[in-house]
């Protein structure tokens, strides 16, 4: 891995990578090989799919190298949770050869068998870099926001961590979302769940036909809106069915026109 995969591909910027494997020796071996490339930053190493999903959403890597069979959430389940339009490039690294066809069906950049040969890993990274280049590499949030929404499959579940435990939260159950520093709070009935993603990041992962951003710090499930009424300075009041009152700033009023005209 001494030769830079990015220089071979003609890409001048650094690639942010995450290694996901439930076996610590395998993580350390792959991570060590990647770190030999001066243009790759290994920004995290994860032991399972749940941990990896949170890390991907928090760090927005360009490349993820992951095992197939892991406790809890396996590699394919992780890829499906991410969705094909907002995901980084994936390279599967596994001891099982029977999943290769399925890996390429989900548009994996490559499929490696353990024990990993350093030269073969370098080739896989080069393929992943080419895939990243063809996707016009951007931060994950911007990349997702730039993809046309027609025909896109939107996530039905979000993985939420609280007090050391993980749980799946159905997206359609979310009433509204508010910013909290660099994170967001997901309001579901009387419960509130901290989610480690920016407001723009979560907006990019939600179906715009179901969720409406009404303020720089607020996103609302359209089905929960009871009524809207004008306020001062072009703002609107928004009342939800549970009695929650929010404000739609004048900056976001144009989005109402998009719904009225059937553009969303």
């Amino acid at each position: 891995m001494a030769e830079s995969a990015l220089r071979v591909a003609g890409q001048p910027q650094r690639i942010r990578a995450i290694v996901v494997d439930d076996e610590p020796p395998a993580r350390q071996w792959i991570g060590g090989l990647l770190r030999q490339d001066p243009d790759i930053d290994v920004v995290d190493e994860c032991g399972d799919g749940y941990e990896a999903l949170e890390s991907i959403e928090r760090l927005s890597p360009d490349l993820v190298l992951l095992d197939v069979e892991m406790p809890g959430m396996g590699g394919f389940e992780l890829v499906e949770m991410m969705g094909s339009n907002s995901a980084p490039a994936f390279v599967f690294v596994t001891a099982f050869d029977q999943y290769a066809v399925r890996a390429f069906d989900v548009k994996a950049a490559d499929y490696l068998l353990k024990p990993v040969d350093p030269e073969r890993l370098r080739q896989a990274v080069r393929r992943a870099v080419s895939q990243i280049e063809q996707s016009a590499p951007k931060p994950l949030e911007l990349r997702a926001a730039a993809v046309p929404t027609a025909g896109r499959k939107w996530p039905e579940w979000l993985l939420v961590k609280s007090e050391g435990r993980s749980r799946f939260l159905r997206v359609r159950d979310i009433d509204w979302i508010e910013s909290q520093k660099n994170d967001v709070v997901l309001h579901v009935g009387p419960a509130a769940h901290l989610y480690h993603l920016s407001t723009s990041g979560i907006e990019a992962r939600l179906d715009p036909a179901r969720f409406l951003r009404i303020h720089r710090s607020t996103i609302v499930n359209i089905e929960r809106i009871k009524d809207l009424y004008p306020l001062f300075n072009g703002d609107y009041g928004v009342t939800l069915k549970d009695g929650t009152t929010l404000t739609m700033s004048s900056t976001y009023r144009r989005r109402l026109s998009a719904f009225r005209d059937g553009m969303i």
Side-chain angles (χ1 to χ4, degrees):
M1 293 291 293
E3 182 181 3
S4 168
L6 294 185
R7 288 172 186 160
V8 170
Q11 173 61 274
Q13 63 195 70
R14 298 174 69 85
I15 287 292
R16 294 162 52 81
I18 289 178
V19 179
V20 187
D21 199 302
D22 61 317
E23 299 178 355
R27 291 199 305 271
Q28 295 165 7
W29 171 250
I30 296 170
L33 291 176
L34 292 174
R35 289 184 178 94
Q36 294 178 26
D37 190 317
D39 288 323
I40 293 181
D41 288 326
V42 180
V43 296
D44 202 2
E45 295 182 6
C46 304
D48 59 53
Y50 295 108
E51 184 181 349
L53 181 61
E54 179 185 14
S55 182
I56 291 168
E57 293 175 339
R58 175 168 49 88
L59 298 174
S60 299
D62 304 290
L63 171 64
V64 177
L65 296 97
L66 73 165
D67 199 357
V68 171
E69 295 191 359
M70 295 181 288
M73 182 191 295
F76 287 109
E77 289 77 16
L78 173 60
V79 173
E80 290 171 0
M81 283 289 296
M82 287 301 301
S84 62
N85 291 303
S86 61
F90 287 96
V91 171
F92 285 97
V93 184
T94 179
F96 305 96
D97 60 4
Q98 66 264 35
Y99 300 112
V101 173
R102 184 180 175 187
F104 291 110
D105 284 342
V106 297
K107 297 181 173 58
D110 211 333
Y111 189 92
L112 306 182
L113 292 177
K114 299 176 180 177
V116 179
D117 176 73
E119 174 59 24
R120 183 68 182 86
L121 178 60
R122 188 178 71 85
Q123 294 174 3
V125 172
R126 289 176 60 185
R127 289 185 179 180
V129 169
S130 297
Q131 188 180 90
I132 294 168
E133 288 178 329
Q134 293 171 6
S135 300
K138 301 175 181 178
L140 183 59
E141 293 176 9
L142 297 179
R143 189 187 314 163
V147 175
T149 59
R152 176 173 174 178
K153 183 178 180 180
W154 302 97
E156 295 183 9
W157 299 88
L158 295 177
L159 182 68
V160 177
K161 283 194 172 184
S162 177
E163 299 180 351
R165 296 188 177 186
S166 300
R167 58 169 295 188
F168 284 105
L169 184 67
R170 192 184 296 272
V171 172
R172 71 186 185 194
D173 292 339
I174 298 172
D175 299 320
W176 65 287
I177 302 168
E178 66 174 327
S179 301
Q180 187 174 99
K181 295 183 178 180
N182 295 324
D183 303 317
V184 293
V185 177
L186 311 176
H187 292 272
V188 182
H193 306 276
L194 185 66
Y195 194 68
H196 298 298
L197 199 63
S198 69
T199 309
S200 295
I202 191 70
E203 181 186 21
R205 299 198 65 199
L206 298 174
D207 185 351
R210 295 181 178 273
F211 287 86
L212 176 66
R213 189 166 183 174
I214 62 173
H215 191 276
R216 62 183 178 85
S217 60
T218 311
I219 299 173
V220 177
N221 184 337
I222 298 164
E223 293 182 348
R224 303 299 195 271
I225 296 177
K226 180 181 180 180
D227 54 42
L228 302 92
Y229 49 92
L231 299 174
F232 298 104
N233 302 321
D235 293 347
Y236 268 73
V238 179
T239 302
L240 305 188
K241 294 177 181 178
D242 65 359
T244 300
T245 57
L246 304 169
T247 299
M248 170 181 282
S249 68
S250 57
T251 306
Y252 290 88
R253 280 185 56 193
R254 67 182 184 277
R255 302 198 177 192
L256 286 178
S257 299
F259 277 93
R260 180 194 63 197
D261 298 336
M263 295 171 60
I264 294 181

